[in-house]
Amino acid sequence: MSWGWGEGVPQDAIYWNMICERKGLYTCFPSGRVINAGKSQHNEDQACCEVVFVEQRPSPRGRLPSREGSGELDGGKKGFYFHYWALFDGHAGSGAAVMASQRLHLHICEQLRDLVEILQDPSPPPICLPHGAKTGPADPNHMSYTEDCGEVPNDAAPRFHLEKAVSHESLVIGAIENAFKHMDDQIERERASQHLAGGCCALAAIYLMGKFYVANAGDSRAIIIRNGEIIPMSREFTPETERQRLQFLALLRPELLGKEFTHLEFPRRIQPKELGKKMLYRDQNMNGWAYKKIEEDDLKFPLIFGEGKKARMMATIGVTRGLGDHDLKVFSSNIHIKPFLSCFPEVRVYDLTQYEHCPDDVLVLGTDGLWDVTNDKEVAGVVMEVLTSYEPNDPCRYTMVAQELVVRSRGVLKERGWRLANDKLGSGDDISVFVIPLGGPGNYT
Amino acid sequence: MSWGWGEGVPQDAIYWNMICERKGLYTCFPSGRVINAGKSQHNEDQACCEVVFVEQRPSPRGRLPSREGSGELDGGKKGFYFHYWALFDGHAGSGAAVMASQRLHLHICEQLRDLVEILQDPSPPPICLPHGAKTGPADPNHMSYTEDCGEVPNDAAPRFHLEKAVSHESLVIGAIENAFKHMDDQIERERASQHLAGGCCALAAIYLMGKFYVANAGDSRAIIIRNGEIIPMSREFTPETERQRLQFLALLRPELLGKEFTHLEFPRRIQPKELGKKMLYRDQNMNGWAYKKIEEDDLKFPLIFGEGKKARMMATIGVTRGLGDHDLKVFSSNIHIKPFLSCFPEVRVYDLTQYEHCPDDVLVLGTDGLWDVTNDKEVAGVVMEVLTSYEPNDPCRYTMVAQELVVRSRGVLKERGWRLANDKLGSGDDISVFVIPLGGPGNYT
């Protein structure tokens, strides 16, 4: 079931299809991927697809009494499975992307291990756990999850009227968010010994207990196509979409700019001779633009500069979330990018049980190599076109969609470079695509 | 045309309807409003409805040559009109709300005065204005707006390839954003001499050159109802919706918390005896929740606490944007609320020319007194119900909608307090509503 590869995959095209049987269920993980570097010797996109077992951590107070429906498996191990797909779009080397593709799901697993019993209990998660607890209250039959913290007898327990209800779903989101942080910390710790170069955007889909959790840090994107309708499952984190967060941080921590940058945004570089004139600008509070008199300080390079795919933070990087990049600095300076570059993902949730899905409903994950040249509507068109040309129970059909999406976004090599069907320039970037059936030949129970 | 009242309107019910004729056009500003304080002696909601003329600022280099279509009016004054409606929901006194209702439109006007010529010119706004310019380049026939800054002859002008295009619309947004800031600064300056107590949420709708700009700072709300469809035109700024911005500021500027608060959020207060246990928390990077071991520092009061209408920032205030409140401190402390409370609005734009509007399409502005008890769908229901009972060209019909919305949200005084038709508790808050026709008997040209 496990799948991966070592550092640096040679320039080539790879398609794969994975079918797994587990507990008599038939589950399908099709996907397609092509490597067309050009920019670098190796493909910097990496991917991972796994079914991961989350085993409950042994209780420090000894083994807990088994509870009905608490997920005890045949082998006596308590836990649950999650399904996992992830894309890692590396830059400045494939090291961070390779490590993240090998480890992120293990960090997610690790974060979830403490929650096994809590997630399997339909009652609300406990706000407070007793001393030394790892999996919830030591004896759940004897405790009120929400009010008792172990020492106070139940009848004397204080009542907290202003207590916020926390859902199981938000615990999973928190676990994924912290897993990204731990992944980033591991890359930081091991980057020297493991020679981990660069950084990567990360996009992961986790299927757990009836819900898809799509976590995104970077400019990869995910959409669901359901009954022809497009449902965005991520947003991109770029200098443009995160401008106000970055400007706010720069305003409060000007020392991070090393006297080289201004937190204000201007529509273009200002020339010294323009001092005293009025220039359009916007600050961390503004979405609109206004004129201001140009002062000495405004002659510095803007923290955010450029537009669209060319927008850069500190003239260095085009994404504002991702893993790695701990050594990345502004060219020929000692100014670090990292405090501005955040490793935290945004997690969106899609409840699979809220809708009856047909075999043509899919979740598509793609790196920017796909989305730069193929928009949502075009992707939905390819999905429908390819799927209808295969039998609904043919597990290959999703792989063929992924392959078609990649091939069409790459284009055909002509005299004037790689060209799409409409003669526009094809994607010069690495392209990776997962096409995940939501109501396909198998299911995720 | 001007409309307003002095500080402190006695507890009573007021409805009004304003019809104005201007340049042969028939325009209707209906609205409804009721005062049902109880909480305070005076209604702390204030409102304003105006047509404002923005006169071009005289050029410092003398009068500009007149240009075709440049908005020169009969009296020789150059400029344009905007239509303006605004609601100010005061707290801790009506002083800030009263002043804002009398002045905010003047600050918007002031910000727009520099833009008269630029907004009336269909070419893109100039990125840079020459020395001393107030209204754009001195002689527009002789200058390239986008590239020339006055001193360099046109043919020798440098070309800026990385130049961001800025729209007219975003200049208006910037003008409104800065007008809110100037309004807030004026309240700060004059609060002692004018005895301006408290602060206020501000919601303003500006109609200018075919577009509605809806600016919101606080928990008032605006929706458009078009052909029965509901289009949100604002979002609320509360400790819950702005949690991450506030936590981020608190993390970077811990001194603002005065050792009394922690930037972490917990689902309830932690008790000293719970030290060492594990508690759910989330920080500025998280949307989900996770467990952490309780440390000494976590025993401080959380910056954000409570849920829904009871959520408070620093245990003090339930909104996170607004005007005024410069003297507001945490109870019996020297900790100021203001740096967390922002005066900047979010501005949303609705292009009236993109859709054919019928007389039943309206923009509804309401303070939280309305929305706390009447949801979007119910408001849309009342709008349709009342409008169909009047002739489409009856200008009173919008006033009757506003009145009906207010009356229904207030309810009827029974033995067990003010009750709605469904016997739920009516709004105990001040209620103010504007109902603005988008395709009514008049238009906004």
Side-chain angles (χ1 to χ4, degrees), chain A residues 57-316:
Chain A
R57 215 183 292 281
S59 164
R61 298 187 185 180
R63 207 167 167 291
L64 296 183
S66 181
R67 298 166 74 198
E68 262 188 278
S70 62
E72 183 152 341
L73 300 177
D74 291 344
K77 290 179 180 173
K78 273 176 80 177
F80 52 72
Y81 287 94
F82 69 83
H83 297 241
Y84 171 86
W85 303 257
L87 296 176
F88 304 91
D89 181 355
H91 50 251
S94 59
V98 169
M99 178 171 238
S101 72
Q102 291 166 348
R103 302 288 173 81
L104 180 59
H105 56 289
L106 304 178
H107 283 287
I108 294 171
C109 178
E110 195 62 22
Q111 292 296 312
L112 290 171
R113 285 189 71 186
D114 288 331
L115 303 174
V116 167
E117 192 161 348
I118 292 166
L119 292 178
Q120 289 179 333
D121 187 329
S123 53
I127 299 299
C128 181
L129 303 178
H131 272 292
K134 294 228 164 169
T135 55
D139 181 354
N141 297 317
H142 197 72
M143 300 188 80
S144 154
Y145 263 10
T146 48
E147 291 171 351
D148 199 326
C149 288
E151 283 151 348
V152 188
N154 231 357
D155 51 352
R159 295 285 177 272
F160 301 104
H161 293 292
L162 269 172
E163 184 169 280
K164 209 162 188 163
V166 172
S167 66
H168 290 92
E169 181 180 301
S170 66
L171 288 191
V172 177
I173 294 171
I176 295 169
E177 288 169 332
N178 279 330
F180 271 66
K181 174 71 179 131
H182 284 278
M183 183 71 249
D184 198 52
D185 289 345
Q186 187 184 12
I187 294 172
E188 181 173 22
R189 280 193 313 273
E190 301 181 13
R191 71 192 195 281
S193 62
Q194 304 284 317
H195 310 291
L196 301 178
C200 64
C201 296
L203 173 64
I206 294 105
Y207 175 81
L208 177 62
M209 297 178 179
K211 291 175 179 174
F212 266 99
Y213 297 83
V214 179
N216 185 45
D219 64 357
S220 296
R221 286 183 57 224
I223 61 171
I224 280 175
I225 298 157
R226 187 185 70 196
N227 200 16
E229 186 195 353
I230 293 159
I231 304 166
M233 286 303 295
S234 67
R235 65 184 173 109
E236 296 152 271
F237 296 98
T238 67
E240 286 188 310
T241 66
E242 292 222 277
R243 175 181 58 84
Q244 287 177 289
R245 173 179 75 80
L246 303 169
Q247 287 185 311
F248 192 39
L249 174 57
L251 177 77
L252 295 176
R253 286 271 173 87
E255 70 276 13
L256 297 175
L257 300 179
K259 295 182 184 168
E260 295 291 330
F261 296 91
T262 164
H263 78 284
L264 296 180
E265 186 187 10
F266 299 99
R268 63 160 170 82
R269 280 305 302 274
I270 303 175
Q271 301 185 301
K273 67 180 177 195
E274 292 174 326
L275 258 178
K277 291 179 184 173
K278 284 188 169 183
M279 178 72 110
L280 284 174
Y281 83 102
R282 53 181 175 175
D283 67 17
Q284 69 287 344
N285 292 309
M286 298 169 73
N287 271 307
W289 294 83
Y291 291 98
K292 84 179 284 289
K293 198 170 170 182
I294 300 170
E295 294 160 34
E296 193 69 36
D297 219 46
D298 302 327
L299 298 178
K300 294 174 182 171
F301 202 89
L303 171 67
I304 309 292
F305 190 61
E307 221 170 348
K309 287 299 287 182
K310 287 181 180 157
R312 290 286 177 275
M313 173 169 66
M314 293 173 148
T316 303

Side-chain angles (χ1 to χ4, degrees), chain B residues 89-320:
Chain B
D89 181 356
H91 50 251
S94 59
V98 168
M99 179 173 236
S101 71
Q102 291 167 348
R103 303 288 173 80
L104 179 60
H105 57 289
L106 303 178
H107 282 287
I108 294 172
C109 178
E110 196 61 21
Q111 292 296 313
L112 290 171
R113 284 189 71 186
D114 287 332
L115 303 173
V116 166
E117 192 162 348
I118 292 165
L119 291 178
Q120 289 179 333
D121 188 328
S123 54
I127 300 298
C128 181
L129 303 179
H131 273 292
K134 294 231 167 170
T135 55
D139 181 356
N141 297 318
H142 198 72
M143 300 187 80
S144 154
Y145 263 12
T146 48
E147 291 171 350
D148 200 324
C149 290
E151 281 150 351
V152 189
N154 233 356
D155 52 351
R159 294 286 177 272
F160 302 104
H161 293 291
L162 269 172
E163 185 169 278
K164 209 161 189 162
V166 172
S167 65
H168 290 92
E169 181 179 302
S170 66
L171 288 192
V172 177
I173 294 171
I176 295 168
E177 289 169 331
N178 280 331
F180 271 66
K181 174 73 177 131
H182 284 277
M183 183 71 247
D184 197 52
D185 291 345
Q186 186 185 12
I187 294 172
E188 182 173 21
R189 280 194 313 274
E190 301 182 12
R191 70 192 194 280
S193 62
Q194 305 284 316
H195 311 291
L196 301 178
C200 65
C201 296
L203 172 63
I206 294 106
Y207 175 80
L208 176 62
M209 296 177 180
K211 291 175 180 174
F212 266 99
Y213 297 82
V214 179
N216 185 43
D219 64 356
S220 296
R221 288 183 56 224
I223 62 172
I224 280 175
I225 298 157
R226 187 184 70 195
N227 201 16
E229 187 195 353
I230 293 160
I231 304 166
M233 286 303 296
S234 68
R235 64 184 174 109
E236 297 152 90
F237 295 98
T238 67
E240 286 188 310
T241 65
E242 292 222 277
R243 175 181 58 85
Q244 288 177 288
R245 172 178 76 79
L246 302 170
Q247 288 185 311
F248 192 40
L249 174 57
L251 177 77
L252 295 176
R253 287 271 171 87
E255 70 276 12
L256 296 176
L257 301 178
K259 296 182 183 168
E260 295 290 329
F261 295 91
T262 163
H263 77 285
L264 296 181
E265 186 188 11
F266 299 100
R268 63 161 170 80
R269 279 304 303 273
I270 302 175
Q271 301 184 299
K273 66 180 177 195
E274 292 174 327
L275 257 178
K277 290 179 185 172
K278 287 189 165 182
M279 179 73 109
L280 285 174
Y281 82 102
R282 53 181 174 176
D283 67 18
Q284 69 289 342
N285 292 308
M286 300 168 71
N287 271 308
W289 294 83
Y291 291 99
K292 84 179 285 288
K293 198 170 169 181
I294 300 169
E295 294 160 35
E296 194 70 37
D297 220 45
D298 301 327
L299 299 179
K300 294 173 181 170
F301 203 88
L303 172 67
I304 310 292
F305 189 61
E307 220 169 347
K309 285 301 285 183
K310 288 181 179 155
R312 289 287 176 276
M313 174 168 65
M314 294 173 147
T316 304
I317 188 168
V319 292
T320 53

Side-chain angles (χ1 to χ4, degrees), chain B residues 13-17 30-35 364-365 370 374 379 382-383 386-387 390 395-411 431-436:
Chain B
I14 301 172
Y15 304 104
W16 77 85
N17 180 29
S31 57
R33 184 164 191 286
V34 70
I35 298 157
V364 178
L365 312 184
L370 171 72
T374 313
V379 167
V382 171
V383 166
V386 176
L387 288 183
Y390 288 82
C396 287
R397 62 205 292 265
Y398 305 104
T399 308
M400 297 322 289
V401 174
Q403 177 176 332
E404 188 65 22
L405 285 170
V406 169
V407 167
R408 288 204 197 180
S409 301
R410 186 188 194 184
I431 309 171
S432 298
V433 175
F434 270 118
V435 176
I436 303 162

